[in-house]
Amino acid sequence: MRIIAKRTLREFWDKEIRAEQPLKAWYAVAAKADWSSPAEVKAMYGNASIVGGDRVVFNIGGNRYRLVVRFDYSRRLGFVRFIGSHAAYDRIDASNV
């Protein structure tokens, strides 16, 4: 999968140093993946939540952070839509970010 944009992840881990290694690990796996459906994502990340609009919510860093990615499975693209703490995540609508 081509993940757009790693820069968003980098900007977040620059502020939240504990997020750096977990986000880098997630990125390394996602960039090598060839997911064609939400079921394939769920098979690899069992604790991921599939939400509307082709969005998947990943628990990052021992469930300390939430990452929302919108996937275009046919084009093998993943768009980072949100990364933040649980408190920040609670203030958004993951299916529409």
Side-chain angles (χ1 to χ4, degrees):
M1 302 297 286
R2 182 167 175 224
I3 305 300
I4 302 171
K6 186 176 183 181
R7 180 175 140 188
T8 303
L9 302 177
R10 189 177 316 113
E11 288 172 354
F12 183 77
W13 78 53
D14 283 346
K15 294 183 285 183
E16 290 285 335
I17 193 70
R18 292 188 290 186
E20 182 175 4
Q21 291 307 316
L23 283 171
K24 283 182 175 179
W26 176 87
Y27 183 87
V29 170
K32 291 180 182 174
D34 187 26
W35 297 316
S36 62
S37 70
E40 290 183 1
V41 177
K42 189 80 170 158
M44 185 170 286
Y45 285 97
N47 65 351
S49 300
I50 309 301
V51 295
D54 291 330
R55 285 163 175 79
V56 179
V57 180
F58 296 92
N59 296 317
I60 302 293
N63 210 15
R64 180 170 292 161
Y65 308 104
R66 293 284 176 99
L67 171 64
V68 179
V69 180
R70 184 182 67 80
F71 287 102
D72 180 338
Y73 296 103
S74 64
R75 294 177 21 202
R76 301 300 195 263
L77 295 172
F79 301 90
V80 174
R81 304 300 297 155
F82 171 85
I83 178 66
S85 67
H86 273 271
Y89 173 80
D90 289 342
R91 294 189 298 267
I92 67 164
D93 177 2
S95 63
N96 289 312
V97 293

